Amino acid sequence: MSYGAPYAGLKVVDVSLGFAGPYCAGLFSLQGADVIKVEPPRGDWMRGIGRAFANHTPHDLVANRGKRSIALDLNQDAAREVVLRMASDCDLFIESWRPGVATHRGIDYAAIKAVNPGVIYVSISGFGQDGPYNDRPGTDTVIQAYSGLISVNRGQDGVPHRVGMLVPDTVTGVYAHQAAAAALFAKRHEPEGTYLDISLTQAMGAFLAPKIIEWHLEDGEPRLLNAPAGTFETKDGFIAITLVKEPQWASICEAMGLPELTNDDRYNSFEARAANIEALRWTMNARLREKTTADWISIMREKDILCDFIKDFGEWLDDENVKASGLAPMISQPGIGAMPFPTIPGVVPDPAGDDSRPAPDIGAHGLEILTDHGYDDDAIAALRKCGALMLADGTP
């Protein structure tokens, strides 16, 4: 155990699928834990979301790096027994099925606790284990809509837009990780483990807490913050401009060559600018279209204005600060080759090298994991024969 691998020696059994649960477990893996990923013979369904590269999608690569995989058909009693044996000495158990599925498969909290009273058991679902919506599917887009995230992500067209990445899943994975980490710390002084009910709905509520509280205090009409902060069109693209203090508005007007706006009563405060945002945006866009984005960035940075290019990911990867800070080192994944892999804040780089723990292929460590848990050749052969186990080569 060290700062580089704070969870060395920790054993995690991860039967979760998709992104939220596997990402939670993946964070433990990157911090040194031994994470056993239990997935169906056809693999975690996240392997099929988006284009696959050597049987891995980008989401799968991010969520499962450094884990060991075993492919089990959990509809088989023999596979359930394997999971119970693995769970008997684990520290953390993670599942992400709809409420009731873990019970149906005989590996719910009660079953795992019976063989391991000290286990920290994490259930991740869309709407939580209880309540009228507990059996609803909670996909990322559904939760973006349900949580209110889409409602506050309105474009200049006035239309509420889905954010183009897995916000609820990622946020839930991070919250689940911190909740499990806190429970592991607390267990030092507790006689038994505990059960954690983590939902995408609750995670997004926590994530959006300032906006939710603002909605209440503003009587359901939250103000436009920091007006006219936003995206503006330039001669050759777009620029993002914002301000957090009133004096910065004068600097923006001076930089644009529109000092008269500071004396316009329609724009003399955050509240006034928010009330007249459409007219103000029209005026600003008309001026900003006269020069290129690079020109405006240069002009505005001289006046210490908060602004930046709107980069795509290629531009971000090529940025000198990203390179100098080592924010996305190149790692090698078998069958794929080198690719940039953004670092996790606070995670110390692996001294063995960034290529030492790739994301696993389906069932790649099945024999190794079973041997670790006392299965001999005959027992493994029996698991294969009944269809409970699939090995990495795809054979039962």
Side-chain angles (χ1 to χ4, degrees), residues 190-373:
E190 295 287 348
E192 294 185 343
T194 191
Y195 178 81
L196 299 175
D197 175 7
I198 309 292
S199 71
L200 274 70
T201 301
Q202 183 184 25
M204 287 304 293
F207 183 65
L208 293 168
K211 297 301 294 184
I212 293 170
I213 294 170
E214 179 187 61
W215 182 92
H216 174 78
L217 297 178
E218 296 279 356
D219 294 324
E221 296 183 4
R223 70 182 61 193
L224 180 65
L225 296 179
N226 300 351
T231 301
F232 298 89
E233 189 175 357
T234 66
K235 187 175 183 179
D236 64 347
F238 295 89
I239 185 174
I241 303 172
T242 191
L243 63 163
V244 294
K245 297 178 181 179
E246 195 61 60
Q248 292 171 326
W249 171 238
S251 297
I252 293 172
C253 293
E254 182 180 354
M256 292 190 300
L258 296 172
E260 65 274 15
L261 294 183
T262 61
N263 299 318
D264 192 320
D265 290 341
R266 295 176 299 170
Y267 311 134
N268 63 5
S269 67
F270 282 116
E271 291 77 9
R273 290 191 294 274
N276 296 283
I277 191 63
E278 295 303 323
L280 179 54
R281 283 190 175 279
W282 188 93
T283 300
M284 291 178 65
N285 275 319
R287 177 51 57 89
L288 292 168
R289 290 191 194 103
E290 296 176 4
K291 298 181 185 292
T292 67
T293 302
D295 289 337
W296 285 119
I297 292 291
S298 177
I299 292 169
M300 292 190 176
R301 284 183 178 168
E302 286 183 3
K303 298 184 179 299
D304 204 27
I305 293 168
L306 300 171
C307 64
D308 215 325
F309 297 90
I310 297 177
K311 297 179 182 293
D312 61 26
F313 296 128
E315 292 167 328
W316 184 81
L317 288 167
D318 197 45
D319 182 81
E320 61 180 353
N321 182 69
V322 172
K323 291 181 176 179
S325 302
L327 300 185
M330 299 296 288
I331 69 164
S332 181
Q333 173 70 28
I336 297 177
M339 60 184 173
F341 200 102
T343 56
I344 304 296
V347 173
V348 179
D350 188 341
D354 290 326
D355 298 341
S356 62
R357 303 186 69 191
D361 289 335
I362 302 170
H365 305 90
L367 290 178
E368 172 187 307
I369 291 169
L370 289 171
T371 301
D372 288 349
H373 289 84

Side-chain angles (χ1 to χ4, degrees), residues 1-325:
M1 185 178 295
S2 65
Y3 290 123
Y7 289 113
L10 187 80
K11 180 179 175 181
V12 181
V13 175
D14 175 22
V15 302
S16 67
L17 303 175
F19 193 73
Y23 188 55
C24 168
L27 292 173
F28 282 104
S29 175
L30 292 176
Q31 294 169 318
D34 176 18
V35 180
I36 297 174
K37 179 177 179 62
V38 180
E39 55 186 323
R42 292 186 178 182
D44 185 339
W45 56 263
M46 184 54 71
R47 292 180 183 269
I49 301 299
R51 180 182 174 185
F53 301 84
N55 201 35
H56 293 280
T57 62
H59 286 93
D60 161 58
L61 290 167
V62 168
N64 296 309
R65 186 170 165 225
K67 298 179 184 179
R68 297 192 293 163
S69 171
I70 182 170
L72 297 172
D73 180 359
L74 295 180
N75 293 311
Q76 303 280 343
D77 289 341
R80 179 180 68 88
E81 292 302 320
V82 173
V83 172
L84 289 174
R85 185 180 297 193
M86 291 190 297
S88 65
D89 64 347
C90 76
D91 300 284
L92 180 63
F93 190 96
I94 304 172
E95 66 91 8
S96 65
W97 296 307
R98 288 196 203 184
V101 174
T103 300
H104 174 73
R105 290 181 170 169
I107 52 175
D108 60 356
Y109 178 50
I112 302 302
K113 183 181 179 181
V115 299
N116 183 356
V119 71
I120 304 298
Y121 191 108
V122 180
S123 289
I124 296 176
S125 62
F127 292 90
Q129 298 300 306
D130 301 308
Y133 299 164
N134 69 337
D135 62 346
R136 287 187 182 181
T139 64
D140 190 87
T141 297
V142 168
I143 301 300
Q144 283 202 35
Y146 178 84
S147 68
L149 176 62
I150 291 179
S151 75
V152 298
N153 189 42
R154 292 182 180 270
Q156 293 187 24
D157 56 4
V159 176
H161 294 277
R162 175 188 178 275
V163 180
M165 57 87 64
L166 302 184
V167 177
D169 281 277
T170 304
V171 167
T172 302
V174 173
Y175 276 126
H177 176 266
Q178 68 87 24
L184 289 166
F185 186 78
K187 195 176 79 168
R188 301 175 307 159
H189 307 293
E190 295 287 348
E192 294 185 343
T194 191
Y195 178 81
L196 299 175
D197 175 7
I198 309 292
S199 71
L200 274 70
T201 301
Q202 183 184 25
M204 287 304 293
F207 183 65
L208 293 168
K211 297 301 294 184
I212 293 170
I213 294 170
E214 179 187 61
W215 182 92
H216 174 78
L217 297 178
E218 296 279 356
D219 294 324
E221 296 183 4
R223 70 182 61 193
L224 180 65
L225 296 179
N226 300 351
T231 301
F232 298 89
E233 189 175 357
T234 66
K235 187 175 183 179
D236 64 347
F238 295 89
I239 185 174
I241 303 172
T242 191
L243 63 163
V244 294
K245 297 178 181 179
E246 195 61 60
Q248 292 171 326
W249 171 238
S251 297
I252 293 172
C253 293
E254 182 180 354
M256 292 190 300
L258 296 172
E260 65 274 15
L261 294 183
T262 61
N263 299 318
D264 192 320
D265 290 341
R266 295 176 299 170
Y267 311 134
N268 63 5
S269 67
F270 282 116
E271 291 77 9
R273 290 191 294 274
N276 296 283
I277 191 63
E278 295 303 323
L280 179 54
R281 283 190 175 279
W282 188 93
T283 300
M284 291 178 65
N285 275 319
R287 177 51 57 89
L288 292 168
R289 290 191 194 103
E290 296 176 4
K291 298 181 185 292
T292 67
T293 302
D295 289 337
W296 285 119
I297 292 291
S298 177
I299 292 169
M300 292 190 176
R301 284 183 178 168
E302 286 183 3
K303 298 184 179 299
D304 204 27
I305 293 168
L306 300 171
C307 64
D308 215 325
F309 297 90
I310 297 177
K311 297 179 182 293
D312 61 26
F313 296 128
E315 292 167 328
W316 184 81
L317 288 167
D318 197 45
D319 182 81
E320 61 180 353
N321 182 69
V322 172
K323 291 181 176 179
S325 302

